[in-house]
Amino acid sequence: MKFKFLFLSILTILLNSCGFDLSSEWDITELYVQKIEGSSKLLYKYDAWGGRDSHVYGFIIIDSTQSFKIDLDSTLPMYNLSEIPSKNKISGIKHECKNDCGDEYYKTKPNYLPLRIDKSKSEGIAIENIVFQYRGLSEKDRGLRGDFVFEKFIETKDSIYFFNLNDIKSVHKTHLDELKLKKGEVYLSENEAGKITRIVINQTTLNPLNNEIIQTVAYFLSPESKIESSDFSDRGIFREVKASK
């Protein structure tokens, strides 16, 4: 069993535009950005390939006055966000092998509680990284929960409610009247006209009392009718960075 990192590629981005450091050897295949509320900082999510099939990905904080560039030393030590980023703190999760990877996987007992919580700072923002056992986090990773078309949505401060959803790709044609998903790792993809074509939401759920991992899951959603990127707020939402041709 492998732990899926839930870093989901939506569109291949060819970075031919200004605003990016193209002097590096990285071929960036995914790039999203989220404004950090109450701050001049931006949180980028990137995925890139380099020489000798080097694959790098992650989150990085960059001031809005600076151009994006990949800096491995500044990439945050987390796989997914566990809450909405703020100017005070960014919290995320990752796994660590503790004699439970490879052939040892099924010889260990799964642990769903954190091994530890690492704390650091980046660009003046406190970073909290909740580290889990590889097997424990892997067994709570439920992967893709559904590929839904939705009729409408309502956004609140911390969540998005989707209504009248139909899973058109599954054998059982699942229908949901309503689906509530929390914000934080919401990724919007849009076409050249600014219409939303795809929404991917990575949902990490922890027990608020002890940070026990409950589940990680990804949802793919597409609007039934046209909606604008501007219909969504900036809080807890990543927007795809488009490159001009």
Side-chain angles (χ1 to χ4, degrees):
M1 181 183 295
K2 294 184 178 179
F3 170 65
K4 298 180 288 297
F5 295 119
L6 298 181
F7 288 150
L8 302 164
S9 298
I10 300 176
L11 290 175
T12 298
I13 302 170
L14 301 179
L15 298 178
N16 299 319
S17 63
C18 60
F20 301 96
D21 180 357
L22 298 181
S23 62
S24 70
E25 70 278 18
W26 299 110
D27 176 20
I28 300 177
T29 56
E30 174 185 278
L31 188 63
Y32 291 84
V33 64
Q34 177 177 155
K35 294 181 180 178
I36 299 177
E37 194 173 41
S39 168
S40 65
K41 309 296 181 183
L42 302 174
L43 181 64
Y44 284 89
K45 165 69 190 330
Y46 72 86
D47 193 293
W49 290 85
R52 298 183 180 179
D53 294 327
S54 299
H55 185 206
V56 295
Y57 47 82
F59 301 91
I60 187 170
I61 303 170
I62 297 178
D63 193 87
S64 57
T65 61
Q66 299 176 333
S67 299
F68 172 80
K69 66 177 181 179
I70 293 176
D71 183 346
L72 300 184
D73 291 334
S74 298
T75 297
L76 303 183
M78 56 187 61
Y79 299 147
N80 291 96
L81 302 178
S82 59
E83 59 186 41
I84 297 174
S86 76
K87 64 179 181 180
N88 299 315
K89 185 180 74 171
I90 295 177
S91 182
I93 66 170
K94 67 173 292 185
H95 77 255
E96 181 178 278
C97 286
K98 299 289 288 187
N99 298 320
D100 65 333
C101 295
D103 294 338
E104 301 297 317
Y105 186 92
Y106 291 106
K107 297 179 182 179
T108 59
K109 181 179 179 181
N111 176 18
Y112 306 122
L113 292 170
L115 300 176
R116 66 178 188 277
I117 298 178
D118 294 335
K119 296 184 178 182
S120 60
K121 275 200 170 186
S122 179
E123 294 293 321
I125 299 176
I127 306 300
E128 181 179 86
N129 195 31
I130 306 172
V131 183
F132 289 92
Q133 177 206 47
Y134 175 83
R135 180 174 180 180
L137 188 55
S138 176
E139 292 193 358
K140 292 296 185 177
D141 175 12
R142 302 186 183 183
L144 173 62
R145 176 55 67 87
D147 200 331
F148 293 97
V149 173
F150 65 92
E151 179 182 4
K152 62 180 182 178
F153 75 95
I154 295 176
E155 182 184 345
T156 66
K157 181 179 180 182
D158 298 321
S159 303
I160 303 178
Y161 294 79
F162 297 93
F163 300 95
N164 192 17
L165 305 98
N166 290 292
D167 188 344
I168 59 176
K169 291 189 176 181
S170 69
V171 175
H172 302 291
K173 306 299 182 185
T174 304
H175 172 82
L176 299 175
D177 291 329
E178 178 182 318
L179 176 64
K180 176 187 177 182
L181 297 173
K182 69 176 185 177
K183 291 156 61 173
E185 264 199 271
V186 178
Y187 298 92
L188 303 183
S189 290
E190 60 186 74
N191 59 23
E192 293 181 355
K195 309 295 184 183
I196 297 298
T197 58
R198 190 81 153 170
I199 303 172
V200 176
I201 300 181
N202 291 341
Q203 191 84 85
T204 297
T205 306
L206 304 178
N207 185 319
L209 298 179
N210 59 4
N211 285 322
E212 179 182 3
I213 183 72
I214 296 174
Q215 74 169 20
T216 64
V217 64
Y219 290 86
F220 289 69
L221 305 110
S222 301
E224 187 176 275
S225 57
K226 294 180 180 179
I227 58 175
E228 308 278 346
S229 175
S230 58
D231 292 336
F232 291 87
S233 73
D234 292 326
R235 177 176 165 81
I237 293 177
F238 286 93
R239 283 174 164 78
E240 185 179 18
V241 177
K242 290 285 189 178
S244 60
K245 296 181 180 180

